[in-house]
């Protein structure tokens, strides 16, 4: 959840500012062969900072603060992306690289109705062989940039004769269950809507989830903003996230098997839910409030002079939006960033001098 991420982000930025403040607060002694720095007075240092993130575009805490002031999601979008317009996109599919699955294999949980296809044929995968249950299906990457299908009984993997040494993408789907449960490197299971496809990619393998934009957003939005936040804030996050994904989709390199990824390098996306190896639910990734916010905004996206806008967003801008190098990503005061309880728009952090010395790589002081 993003509220936990915010806590981590604030701690990370605090450490970053420690190094910066060290350069400012600790004045060097006169130049000599080996420069020295005076030790801070006392055992701790208190740091003051503002916000977290790059500060370009929508501030998530600012959107929350603006919603508390009764601004609509349309007004919030207009404030953070000035000069833009709203239009309808439709509900296209988007291809998400699942970095969470790793780069050596694409493994899924056997289920009734599970199929595998390579674009020319599709087969239904069995859940047992003879009297023995099949415990897993996976596509593995070969040393020659090909991939092959395997199935597991007990702890032993066997090659399946149907799909061997292919350079085609191998796509898992389950029209019956409307989800595919993939196996994470941690052995947790993660359910995805749509399909999960394994692609050979040089020395690695890519796992790609293809899903409609609206279903994708049902997982993205609560991963990027707490589902308990106000309705208008959630709606503004939906529109920013939809547009950002559409921008990446339009900018994808020709021939690339994916448009975007599932990490903070793109937008956080964690499917429907997580389960343990026994099938017990461990984490829910979709919520009624954010699913409603997706539906409430239709298929709206942000455009600038007829083209999709790059709707960047971050946790908090500290009270001043940053220049993003585009006409609608401008630097100006933000009266909303500090407007919600708990906002990291302004913060302080205390750190011990020994920790500061260790982080900066300083030796003992004489």
């Amino acid at each position: 959840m993003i509220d936990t991420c915010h806590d981590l982000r604030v701690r990370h930025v605090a450490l970053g500012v420690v190094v910066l403040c060290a350069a400012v607060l600790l004045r060097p002694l006169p130049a000599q062969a080996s420069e020295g720095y005076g030790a801070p007075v006392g055992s701790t240092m208190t740091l003051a900072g503002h916000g977290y993130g790059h500060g370009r575009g929508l501030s998530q805490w600012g959107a929350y603060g603006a919603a508390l002031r009764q601004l609509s999601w349309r007004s919030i979008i207009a404030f953070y992306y000035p000069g833009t317009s709203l239009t309808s996109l439709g509900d296209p599919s988007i291809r998400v690289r699942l970095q969470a699955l790793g780069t050596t294999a694409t493994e899924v949980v056997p289920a009734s109705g599970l199929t595998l296809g390579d674009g020319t044929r599709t087969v239904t995968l069995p859940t047992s062989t003879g009297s023995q249950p099949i415990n897993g299906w996976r596509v593995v990457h070969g040393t020659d940039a090909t991939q092959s299908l395997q199935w597991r009984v007990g702890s032993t993997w066997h090659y399946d004769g149907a799909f061997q040494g292919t350079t085609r993408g191998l796509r898992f789907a389950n029209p019956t269950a409307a989800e595919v449960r993939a196996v994470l490197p941690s052995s947790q299971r993660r359910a995805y809507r749509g399909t999960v496809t394994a692609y050979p990619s040089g020395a690695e393998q890519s796992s790609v989830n293809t899903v409609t934009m609206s279903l994708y957003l049902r997982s993205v939005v609560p991963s990027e903003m707490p589902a308990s936040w106000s309705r208008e804030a959630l709606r503004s996050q939906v529109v920013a996230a939809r547009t950002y994904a559409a921008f990446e989709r339009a900018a994808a390199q020709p021939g690339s098997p994916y448009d975007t990824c599932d990490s903070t390098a793109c937008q956080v996306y964690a499917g429907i839910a997580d389960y343990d190896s026994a099938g017990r639910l461990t984490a829910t990734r979709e919520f009624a409030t954010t699913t409603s916010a997706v539906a409430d905004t239709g298929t709206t996206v942000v455009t600038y002079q007829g083209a999709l806008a790059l709707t960047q967003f971050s946790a908090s801008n500290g009270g001043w939006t940053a220049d993003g190098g585009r006409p609608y990503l401008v630097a100006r005061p933000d009266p909303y960033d500090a407007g919600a309880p708990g906002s990291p728009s302004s913060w302080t952090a205390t750190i011990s001098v020994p920790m500061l010395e260790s982080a900066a790589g300083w030796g003992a002081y004489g």
Side-chain angles (χ1 to χ4, degrees), residues 14-20 22 351-363 365:
L15 182 57
V17 175
V18 166
V19 178
L20 176 61
I351 187 170
S352 71
V353 170
M355 183 182 294
L356 175 61
E357 292 172 357
S358 175
W362 298 329
Y365 291 96

Side-chain angles (χ1 to χ4, degrees), residues 1-7 9-10 51-68 76-77 79-81 219-242 244 264 266-268 290 311-321 334 336-345:
M1 289 296 294
I2 196 67
D3 47 355
T4 301
C5 292
H6 281 321
D7 293 341
R9 289 171 178 174
V10 171
Y52 182 78
H54 51 64
R56 297 186 291 271
L58 181 137
S59 160
Q60 293 168 317
W61 280 94
Y64 188 17
L68 293 179
I76 295 170
I77 291 294
F79 174 79
Y80 285 110
Y81 308 108
S219 175
V220 167
V221 175
S223 295
E224 291 288 355
M225 180 178 281
S228 61
W229 280 12
S230 59
R231 182 179 59 185
E232 297 305 304
L234 294 174
R235 289 172 171 176
S236 66
Q237 178 67 64
V238 170
V239 175
R242 181 186 292 118
Y244 190 90
T264 54
C266 304
Q267 297 187 102
V268 180
T290 46
T311 49
Q312 292 179 298
F313 54 86
S314 62
S316 167
N317 58 37
W320 196 282
T321 60
D334 181 353
Y336 309 115
D337 191 71
S343 170
S345 188

Side-chain angles (χ1 to χ4, degrees), residues 125-213:
L125 301 176
T127 57
S128 64
T129 174
S131 61
Q132 296 179 303
I134 293 176
N135 306 121
W137 288 97
R138 73 179 183 183
V139 176
V140 294
H141 191 275
T143 57
D144 55 354
T146 64
Q147 52 186 16
S148 300
L149 178 65
Q150 294 182 328
W151 49 275
R152 178 168 58 88
V153 170
S155 59
T156 304
W157 286 99
H158 306 269
Y159 279 94
D160 186 274
F163 299 93
Q164 293 296 306
T166 181
T167 58
R168 291 178 175 271
L170 296 180
R171 176 169 295 184
F172 292 102
N174 195 330
T176 302
E179 68 172 44
V180 174
R181 291 194 185 182
V183 181
L184 304 179
S186 65
S187 296
Q188 284 277 106
R189 278 73 165 130
R190 180 162 292 173
Y192 294 98
R193 300 184 189 277
T195 63
V196 175
T197 306
Y199 290 99
S201 178
E204 297 183 342
Q205 181 170 296
S206 297
S207 302
V208 178
N209 179 210
T210 301
V211 66
T212 64
M213 183 72 78

